[in-house]
Amino acid sequence: MAIDVLLGLQWGDEGKGKIVDVLSGRYDLIARFQGGPNAGHTLEFDGAKHVLHTIPSGIFHRNALNLIGNGVVIDPVIFLGEIEKLRVVDDRITDRLYISRKAHLILPTHRLLDAASEAAKGKDKIGSTLKGIGPTYMDKTGRNGLRVGDLELRDFPERYRSLVDKHLSLLRQYPDFQFDLPPLEAVWMEASERLRGMQLVDSELYLSKALAENKRVLAEGAQGSLLDIDFGTYPFVTSSTTTAAGACTGLGVAPNRIGQVFGIFKAYCTRVGSGPFPTELDDELGEKLRKNGREFGSTTGRPRRCGWLDLPALKYAIEINGVSELMMMKADVLGDFDRIGVCTAYRYNGKEVTHLPYRIDPELVEPVYTWMPGWNCDLSGIERTEDLPEELMNYVRFIERETGIRIGVLSVGPDRRQTLSLS
Ligand code: GDP
Ligand code: IMO
Ligand code: MG
């Protein structure tokens, strides 16, 4: 059996959580493969809203199991907090949750290092979520990190201390940065002790057994392709492989086991944090998108930057991920615009180009727009594809033609039920 992958094609927050939840009924296992609590995946159903950071978005389906893969980084305190919240909804949640022993641990000092390094960067800061993501992946690739499986080792306290000592010496480079570590450590130790008691697995073996038993598996990405450590707008990126290849390394799955790659994008663009964003709207149109789309970060609450859809960037993301089906989110947010801009090319070095250049800083690229008529109607109550306005279907068909990939799902609101299949 193959494993399907679902991931974001823009700068994150495309609506991955919602769609994973919608699709979970069709899968036996949902597996997160990278990122950590920098993610905020929102699910809405039965009049309630849930935001997940580390836990896969299949957790509300009683027939699906959920796995946190080796590519994920876990902060035990945030993770336990999520579990406590979910227990109110379902007290058997941890029965359906498995955690890779090879997933790396975010220590309190990783978070301090993240904060100190961002503060020192001043106006050049990445705009990190300050969850310790960068420093934890640095320790992973630097071969210093601690993993979930280390919690089971007798000498874990010594390993922990030795890494913290390294971090403290690094923190001395930031003499103005104040912190009080002992209280943070006390909560962390308690949470990691509870994490140790959960269902820890050698996830690559667990997965390969599941696939051998013909279980249907969906890999859930976090962040988006333009935040990928290699292919994103470096250095304004996250520290993991957010693209389809990350599902292989983050779960221990061979490339020839990947089946469908579902690519999710918003009908416009958003970005939270720093970094280039060619189609960003700094005017009242951008403000309107933010207001209509409630574009505030699910993890940090920061206002998201908003702009028109960027096709060169979308095509690039489709290419590097091998997307087999597109899913377009938040079409309802464009419901009261007379005309809708789509960037179809960039003016770059005096020429018009349709690919994504090495750098897309505002002084280097200028978007070239095609204008489409808006649909000027409220989509949020539409339940049948036949009832979708013609202007919206023209927008859909235009994107399909430009990208060469079918849009199979159209989302018209945050609720599970506000999801239409397109044929
Ligand atoms: P994720 O990180 O990709 O899972 O996305 P987030 O949850 O961070 O951000 C997406 C936001 O848009 C959430 O608040 C969702 O509830 C909401 N959302 C998802 N799909 C739609 C949609 O089709 N229309 C509207 N209006 N909101 C949506
Ligand atoms: P989901 O999974 C949107 C952004 C941050 C910052 C940069 C680096 O909800 O789509 P980090 O904390 O990883 O060091 O931050 O990446 N970022 C996200 N933006 N959605 C996310 O996740 C993000 N995770 C990180 O704002 O610009
Ligand atoms: Mg999000």
Side-chain angles (χ1 to χ4, degrees), residues 100-414:
S100 170
R101 289 196 171 86
K102 293 194 171 82
H104 278 245
L105 290 168
I106 303 177
L107 272 50
T109 40
H110 283 130
R111 290 187 68 163
L112 294 175
L113 282 166
D114 208 0
S117 136
E118 279 284 83
K121 282 191 170 133
K123 67 170 184 31
D124 296 326
K125 68 173 194 237
I126 307 291
S128 152
T129 59
L130 303 180
K131 303 293 177 197
I133 304 297
T136 306
Y137 279 114
M138 275 163 73
D139 270 341
K140 174 178 177 173
T141 48
R143 296 158 297 176
N144 290 314
L146 287 178
R147 302 188 289 178
V148 169
D150 293 339
L151 293 169
E152 297 174 314
L153 303 179
R154 247 209 242 151
D155 64 349
F156 179 74
E158 290 78 44
R159 288 169 187 256
Y160 173 85
R161 197 40 55 202
S162 147
L163 184 54
V164 168
D165 285 346
K166 276 191 191 137
H167 291 164
L168 290 174
S169 75
L170 290 172
L171 281 164
R172 279 195 278 278
Q173 290 174 22
Y174 307 99
D176 296 337
F177 184 75
Q178 306 286 318
F179 57 91
D180 182 15
L181 185 55
L184 301 176
E185 282 189 316
V187 224
W188 192 90
M189 286 298 170
E190 196 186 321
S192 55
E193 192 54 29
R194 294 207 23 219
L195 170 58
R196 187 166 68 97
M198 292 191 188
Q199 303 189 88
L200 309 186
V201 290
D202 299 323
S203 55
E204 62 284 23
L205 304 178
Y206 179 86
L207 251 175
S208 96
K209 186 163 171 281
L211 291 171
E213 288 166 359
N214 281 330
K215 296 274 194 305
R216 292 155 306 173
V217 183
L218 178 66
E220 173 182 3
Q223 289 77 56
S225 303
L226 303 176
L227 289 172
D228 181 86
I229 184 69
D230 283 280
F231 302 107
T233 45
Y234 193 87
F236 301 101
V237 293
T238 190
S239 300
S240 65
T241 298
T242 61
T243 43
C248 296
T249 56
L251 292 171
V253 176
N256 63 358
R257 305 303 299 267
I258 303 292
Q260 299 280 345
V261 179
F262 301 122
I264 309 231
F265 70 103
K266 278 180 193 170
Y268 51 97
C269 273
T270 64
R271 169 160 211 173
V272 58
S274 326
F277 178 1
T279 61
E280 180 170 12
L281 294 165
D282 282 324
D283 52 9
E284 66 282 5
L285 285 176
E287 196 51 54
K288 186 169 163 184
L289 281 172
R290 180 157 41 249
K291 189 164 155 282
N292 285 8
R294 299 208 178 102
E295 295 294 358
F296 295 89
S298 318
T299 297
T300 57
R302 292 177 290 177
R304 295 178 183 144
R305 301 155 62 193
C306 298
W308 297 124
L309 184 65
D310 184 335
L311 278 180
L314 187 67
K315 287 190 213 169
Y316 177 76
I318 289 172
E319 183 65 29
I320 57 176
N321 287 301
V323 169
S324 52
E325 183 180 325
L326 287 167
M327 299 177 171
M328 188 167 90
M329 311 299 291
K330 302 193 96 159
D332 55 302
V333 173
L334 298 178
D336 60 347
F337 286 82
D338 288 333
R339 60 176 203 161
I340 294 167
V342 183
C343 166
T344 41
Y346 299 129
R347 215 158 279 125
Y348 174 70
N349 280 342
K351 284 202 288 268
E352 215 171 280
V353 299
T354 52
H355 71 274
L356 200 68
Y358 174 62
R359 293 194 55 189
I360 54 167
D361 302 62
E363 60 278 16
L364 299 175
V365 297
E366 190 195 329
V368 177
Y369 290 108
T370 296
W371 295 96
M372 313 273 300
W375 36 96
N376 274 307
C377 74
D378 177 10
L379 301 178
S380 61
I382 293 184
E383 290 177 358
R384 302 179 323 160
T385 327
E386 309 85 273
D387 299 333
L388 291 169
E390 196 187 327
E391 292 84 353
L392 169 61
M393 289 318 293
N394 287 340
Y395 191 68
V396 166
R397 301 297 173 225
F398 177 72
I399 297 166
E400 288 184 328
R401 261 197 320 277
E402 286 279 320
T403 59
I405 306 289
R406 186 175 83 89
I407 300 181
V409 170
L410 181 74
S411 175
V412 293

